[in-house]
Amino acid sequence: MNFYDSQKITTILESKGYQLQDSPDKADLVVFNTCNIRDKAAHKVYSDIGRVNKFDNKKTIAVVGCVAQAENSEMFKKNHAIDIVLGPQSYHLLPQMIKDLEKKSKLINTEFIVNEKFDYLSEQHRPQGISSFITIQEGCDKFCSFCVVPYTRGPEYSRSIEAISKEADLLTSKGAREIVLLGQNVNAYQDLSLNKVKRLNHLIENLSKNENIKRIRYTTSHPINMNKELIDCHADSSKLMPFLHLPVQSGSSTILRKMNRKYDSNFYKEIIYKLKKAKPSIQISSDFIVGYPGETDKDFQDTLDLVDEMKFTQSYSFIYSSRPGTKAASESDVTPLHIKKERLKILQEKLRNIQLKFNKGFCNKNIEVLIENKSASNPEYFFGRTPYMQSVYIKSSNLKDGDIKNVSISTCNHKSLYGSC
Ligand code: SAH
Ligand code: SF4
């Protein structure tokens, strides 16, 4: 979502006469779009500001996004070079704030004016490429005990099907062939602008009518919002890809309760089995938090057992990071860091082995790949993705971006497939 937001911010500024530079050294204005989800990401902005400001103290520095929202005016005290602090739901105000710097030296806005932001941004489009993002939903009402999102992005908000379809039309007219629908809780999507509530399955059906859209994906989903209609949509829609990112966080029902995830491990498994029944080819990826306060060896073993049973084909895993203001931050956390690191290593190795085995299953076989671009690192190769989100590097001189090709896979590693056509 930050990538999408950064694109939007760039377009807004370009429409006011700014030019994007390929290096911060050349820029008069540097905008840092920040993530506050883990401690490390939040700290990064201060060292990054120091780096761009090393040679020249005259740049205008704006910090936008979730760190700006969470740390607010404290940011000015922590780093005097910052001129503007702007939350993720009001970044359409950036051009006006830059202007206002002529009259006032430090400016801040951390209001949740998400509907105003989207009204403004509906007009701002920047071609993103063959696979393009559209934010359809933002914010969160779920308040998992470890997470800052409800505080930094605010309550759940969905855009209308009409506005999203218009953005999809524009993106496809500029070459997009795959649309990735984004939201912090994307499957909680609901368009309330019509007489009858329309949900994510309706939006997918609507977008499927656009002939230029070949593939549709959505991320990130919460297990409790995987309703029957959405599960059925995986069976019914030929454009919806057979791959779903459905974060579980832990395999232990005790930890899930402490996390306030609102489901237990059996509920999660049932959802996956229903999805597999509706769409037998579907593959699942997940997020895991290791070392949540009070996680025992047994709880961790439950996570490993869940991974063995579910065979996630891609995943993200993190050590729990205590976030100020969240409920979990006040819980006693006695597990030493070296144990948490060891658990993360064991989990990641297991996930990597499953992913490698899955990828190896494609060797000496053909798979449909949406060609996205020429590989940046090696011009003899094109880059594309399978329906299951695997990266594929294809040796060929005559492919066209946007084509869907049957690629013969010869070799792989846990991250990518390699082939020709
Ligand atoms: N809404 C999605 C997740 C959005 S946050 C969901 O509920 O599944 C993206 C991921 O960051 C989460 O899935 C979680 O694994 C990770 N994350 C969030 N807060 C974290 C924290 N305090 N420490 C470590 N990882 C965290
Ligand atoms: Fe954070 Fe996702 Fe939980 Fe919302 S549902 S609080 S975004 S982890």
Side-chain angles (χ1 to χ4, degrees):
M1 189 171 282
N2 270 10
F3 174 81
Y4 174 89
D5 285 346
S6 299
Q7 298 270 321
K8 292 279 187 194
I9 292 166
T10 309
T11 319
I12 298 170
L13 291 171
E14 280 177 341
S15 74
K16 303 288 176 196
Y18 285 82
Q19 262 183 355
L20 187 64
Q21 300 299 310
D22 56 11
S23 142
D25 297 347
K26 300 180 197 159
D28 304 307
L29 163 72
V30 182
V31 183
F32 291 92
N33 192 10
T34 56
C35 175
N36 196 34
I37 203 92
R38 282 173 293 277
D39 190 47
K40 206 170 155 194
H43 277 134
K44 213 167 150 247
V45 65
Y46 294 104
S47 49
D48 283 350
I49 293 172
R51 209 165 301 128
V52 306
N53 240 5
K54 208 156 51 186
F55 302 113
D56 161 12
N57 242 332
K58 294 191 200 106
K59 294 182 197 307
T60 301
I61 305 275
V63 181
V64 305
C66 291
V67 177
Q69 187 70 39
E71 298 199 4
N72 235 285
S73 55
E74 281 299 303
M75 294 206 91
F76 295 129
K77 291 189 203 149
K78 285 195 191 169
N79 191 315
H80 298 296
I82 300 171
D83 300 295
I84 292 174
V85 169
L86 185 56
Q89 306 304 29
S90 44
Y91 62 70
H92 57 293
L93 302 175
L94 186 56
Q96 187 56 45
M97 290 174 85
I98 297 168
K99 252 194 184 164
D100 293 346
L101 280 177
E102 288 165 16
K103 292 174 261 159
K104 204 166 173 239
S105 65
K106 304 273 175 206
L107 290 169
I108 187 160
N109 191 315
T110 49
E111 280 174 61
F112 292 131
I113 36 181
V114 63
N115 49 350
E116 186 187 302
K117 175 181 84 167
F118 277 117
D119 284 349
Y120 181 87
L121 292 180
S122 289
E123 308 304 319
Q124 313 285 334
H125 296 284
R126 187 180 175 77
Q128 295 177 41
I130 300 300
S131 178
S132 291
F133 296 128
I134 302 181
T135 290
I136 65 164
Q137 182 278 340
E138 276 201 48
C140 180
D141 299 337
K142 297 196 169 61
F143 291 90
C144 298
S145 59
F146 52 84
C147 183
V148 288
V149 169
Y151 309 99
T152 57
R153 290 266 173 180
E156 286 177 7
Y157 169 86
S158 297
R159 296 172 70 193
S160 72
I161 290 188
E162 196 193 345
I164 296 162
S165 302
K166 262 196 203 155
E167 188 161 339
D169 288 346
L170 256 146
L171 288 167
T172 50
S173 74
K174 291 175 181 168
R177 293 295 171 263
E178 174 175 277
I179 296 293
V180 185
L181 305 170
L182 297 181
Q184 272 91 30
N185 279 285
V186 73
N187 58 344
Y189 175 84
Q190 46 176 357
D191 177 356
L192 301 171
S193 68
L194 306 160
N195 299 337
K196 206 166 166 257
V197 182
K198 299 278 181 191
R199 298 195 185 272
L200 185 54
N201 54 302
H202 298 116
L203 174 64
I204 293 167
E205 280 161 29
N206 189 292
L207 292 176
S208 297
K209 291 183 201 141
N210 179 331
E211 283 187 0
N212 289 321
I213 298 178
K214 305 292 180 206
R215 291 181 168 186
I216 300 172
R217 304 181 187 275
Y218 61 93
T219 197
T220 294
S221 296
H222 191 289
I224 63 162
N225 293 118
M226 267 337 282
N227 60 25
K228 182 176 180 317
E229 291 73 22
L230 188 54
I231 292 175
D232 289 345
C233 189
H234 278 274
D236 301 338
S237 165
S238 59
K239 294 192 179 182
L240 185 57
M241 288 295 98
F243 179 81
L244 178 67
H245 185 60
L246 195 63
V248 64
Q249 312 301 353
S250 169
S252 154
S253 294
T254 315
I255 295 294
L256 289 171
R257 199 175 334 106
K258 286 187 179 173
M259 285 177 164
N260 190 29
R261 286 293 287 182
K262 303 172 176 63
Y263 56 84
D264 62 13
S265 140
N266 276 338
F267 178 93
Y268 182 85
K269 286 188 214 170
E270 271 169 33
I271 296 280
I272 305 287
Y273 287 123
K274 281 183 195 162
L275 278 159
K276 290 197 171 175
K277 198 167 168 214
K279 183 82 183 173
S281 62
I282 200 163
Q283 300 299 328
I284 309 294
S285 78
S286 191
D287 289 348
F288 297 90
I289 294 178
V290 167
Y292 183 83
E295 184 190 67
T296 61
D297 284 343
K298 159 86 176 59
D299 293 320
F300 178 59
Q301 187 57 46
D302 287 347
T303 299
L304 296 179
D305 292 346
L306 181 81
V307 171
D308 278 333
E309 189 174 338
M310 293 292 120
K311 302 266 181 299
F312 301 100
T313 57
Q314 274 182 36
S315 288
Y316 301 94
S317 41
F318 319 93
I319 289 182
Y320 164 75
S321 168
S322 174
R323 307 308 294 124
T326 60
K327 186 166 171 285
S330 58
E331 281 172 36
S332 123
D333 185 7
V334 291
T335 313
L337 185 61
H338 74 269
I339 303 252
K340 295 187 180 190
K341 283 189 176 165
E342 187 57 28
R343 285 181 189 163
L344 185 69
K345 206 171 128 206
I346 294 168
L347 174 64
Q348 290 187 333
E349 202 168 299
K350 190 179 267 300
L351 291 166
R352 194 164 41 242
N353 287 339
I354 295 171
Q355 192 173 357
L356 179 62
K357 196 169 167 206
F358 179 67
N359 284 354
K360 278 187 175 166
F362 290 84
C363 288
N364 306 316
K365 290 192 186 134
N366 286 349
I367 179 83
E368 275 192 352
V369 176
L370 172 62
I371 312 296
E372 292 190 20
N373 48 44
K374 248 197 175 143
S375 158
S377 51
N378 190 339
E380 279 178 38
Y381 286 83
F382 278 81
F383 172 81
R385 285 188 192 273
T386 69
Y388 311 110
M389 277 298 270
Q390 295 145 298
S391 300
V392 189
Y393 292 91
I394 310 137
K395 196 160 191 181
S396 174
S397 52
N398 60 350
L399 288 175
K400 231 175 73 227
D401 296 357
D403 280 354
I404 294 183
K405 289 282 183 191
N406 241 331
V407 174
S408 158
I409 303 299
S410 50
T411 168
C412 74
N413 55 35
H414 79 277
K415 277 193 191 150
S416 314
L417 307 177
Y418 298 84
S420 56
C421 71

